[in-house]
Amino acid sequence: MRIELRSDTFTKPTPAMLEAMFHAQVGDDVFREDPSVNELEAGAAALFGKEAALYCPTGTMSNQVAIKVHTQPGDEVICEQQAHVYIYEGGGIAFNSGAQVKALPGNYGRITADQVAGAINPDDIHKAKTSLVCLENTSNRGGGSCYNWSEIQKIRTVCTTQNLALHLDGARLFNALVATGQSAIQYGEVFDSISVCLNKGLGCPVGSILVGSSDFVHKARRIRKVFGGGMRQAGFMAAAGIYALQHHITRLQEDHQHATQIAEALKKKDFTGSIMPVETNIIIFEVHGRFTAKELVEKLKQQNIHCMAISPTQVRMVTHLDVNSSMVQKLVTVISGL
Ligand SMILES: *Cc1c(COP(=O)(O)O)cnc(C)c1O
């Protein structure tokens, strides 16, 4: 029994999802004639109370498309210093948008309204024009941490007052919604654009959805084409997305419970240093003493348990659709025996 905890991107479509894909109605989406893509986009827009949505091949593309729409070359984007848009998208903000980043040190990946307010450049010809704030919820490098809703509202107020756009990298937003009890509609009201990954814990093979106003999505659709992301019979993939939004959201709670169980087992071991607060499906912990992070990963690999060293002293485990309770039970037993 292989236990795959390196990432929630390893999920494979369930038989029921494959069935939905197999029966998808399709057409040419560049002509806007793919009924399944149209249905997914309409459904996602409605879910967030937004006017429109755009289906993108990856979360990286939907973030980069959004940043391109919200900025002009020479502008500055405010985000947290470990944000995916900044450290994991190949320098895309510079490459695609010709914009630069003001990266702020956060609390487990989260920044505050005061930090944002303090980071906005004055109207001075020496300074880059601050035009966009990007938040990430949950925060990947923050160990799956969730934003406090009131802080997001304060950041919205700062953005409105200062005339800045507010984008959410919500790759794992549904994990945050399930954990905190906020609704997609509330998020839709506050953010100008939101990108949500369908290919993480929601279990789709590929795909992301980008929501916003009709004007925003009209511009985003053009940029998606320029980036090479205009797909033809994408409905086979979109059908997986429709299925996931219907069936794979509430079950994320199980992944969170599994992550908590794993963290509890780790806490009892002398090789475990500090563990980031486990709020959703990600466990990031320090390894010291008897093992290095790499050695611990190797030890677990011998038992067909796969996790990842994300720094010389840190290991990450991610729970998801393809990690069931008996796998978690086995992992807990193996950890206890180490
Ligand atoms: C996975 C991820 C993305 C996008 O990833 P793709 O692999 O390009 O779909 C964006 N932001 C965060 C925080 C992520 O974890």
Side-chain angles (χ1 to χ4, degrees):
M1 181 168 67
R2 185 186 173 90
I3 304 178
E4 182 54 79
L5 299 158
R6 281 176 295 169
S7 174
D8 44 8
T9 54
F10 281 88
T11 51
K12 290 177 189 160
T14 61
M17 181 181 276
L18 279 173
E19 195 65 23
M21 295 169 74
F22 187 75
H23 294 291
Q25 301 290 308
V26 297
D28 190 330
D29 181 50
V30 174
F31 286 77
R32 310 282 304 269
E33 287 178 19
D34 187 301
S36 299
V37 173
N38 291 342
E39 183 186 334
L40 173 63
E41 290 178 346
L47 186 58
F48 285 93
K50 285 295 201 195
E51 289 171 347
L54 184 71
Y55 183 51
C56 291
T58 66
T60 299
M61 188 184 286
S62 61
N63 279 330
Q64 291 297 321
V65 163
I67 292 165
K68 182 73 182 157
V69 174
H70 290 306
T71 60
Q72 291 298 316
D75 283 359
E76 194 161 89
V77 177
I78 294 172
C79 67
E80 206 271 340
Q81 65 187 7
Q82 303 221 75
H84 194 282
V85 293
Y86 180 48
I87 64 165
Y88 288 139
E89 298 187 5
I93 294 179
F95 192 102
N96 300 311
S97 297
Q100 64 186 33
V101 168
K102 190 172 278 176
L104 307 176
N107 169 25
Y108 295 110
R110 297 163 296 209
I111 52 177
T112 65
D114 286 345
Q115 281 182 295
V116 172
I120 299 165
N121 288 333
D123 184 8
D124 172 337
I125 57 163
H126 297 88
K127 300 284 186 177
K129 183 177 184 290
T130 308
S131 56
L132 173 65
V133 176
C134 284
L135 305 184
E136 185 174 310
N137 198 19
T138 68
S139 165
N140 181 359
R141 290 290 301 204
S145 62
C146 303
Y147 265 91
N148 191 311
W149 179 242
S150 67
E151 201 61 44
I152 288 183
Q153 289 176 304
K154 284 185 206 157
I155 293 172
R156 172 73 262 179
T157 304
V158 171
C159 291
T160 305
T161 317
Q162 301 289 326
N163 204 19
L164 309 179
L166 182 58
H167 171 72
L168 179 66
D169 176 357
R172 298 185 181 82
L173 178 58
F174 285 111
N175 292 87
L177 296 181
V178 165
T180 63
Q182 253 73 50
S183 70
I185 294 281
Q186 285 176 298
Y187 272 76
E189 280 169 3
V190 159
F191 287 91
D192 296 300
S193 53
I194 301 174
S195 163
V196 179
C197 283
L198 300 167
N199 62 357
K200 300 269 166 77
L202 293 181
C204 296
V206 296
S208 255
I209 196 85
L210 178 63
V211 300
S213 68
S214 335
D215 177 55
F216 169 84
V217 171
H218 178 73
K219 290 172 180 157
R221 194 174 293 280
R222 170 181 286 272
I223 290 161
R224 185 189 66 174
K225 188 79 177 86
V226 176
F227 285 177
M231 298 180 287
R232 303 297 178 174
Q233 285 76 43
F236 292 114
M237 297 298 165
I242 295 166
Y243 182 89
L245 292 178
Q246 281 167 359
H247 298 98
H248 288 171
I249 292 177
T250 50
R251 64 151 306 285
L252 292 171
Q253 191 59 49
E254 284 171 45
D255 300 342
H256 301 174
Q257 278 157 8
H258 288 156
T260 303
Q261 274 175 265
I262 295 166
E264 288 303 319
L266 285 167
K267 251 176 220 164
K268 296 180 186 139
K269 303 307 291 186
D270 63 351
F271 57 79
T272 305
S274 63
I275 306 181
M276 287 188 186
V278 176
E279 297 184 34
T280 54
N281 69 328
I282 300 177
I283 307 137
I284 297 178
F285 60 101
E286 292 279 337
V287 181
H288 60 202
R290 287 191 284 134
F291 307 119
T292 62
K294 244 189 168 154
E295 284 163 356
L296 179 63
V297 169
E298 277 308 312
K299 273 247 174 278
L300 292 169
K301 203 169 170 183
Q302 288 162 12
Q303 312 267 347
N304 211 10
I305 296 165
H306 303 265
C307 59
M308 207 157 68
I310 59 164
S311 83
T313 60
Q314 285 178 307
V315 170
R316 184 179 88 154
M317 295 177 176
V318 187
T319 58
H320 52 76
L321 187 59
D322 291 347
V323 177
N324 63 32
S325 299
S326 61
M327 292 174 182
V328 172
Q329 214 40 60
K330 179 184 166 184
L331 175 60
V332 165
T333 308
V334 169
I335 289 170
S336 306
L338 280 178

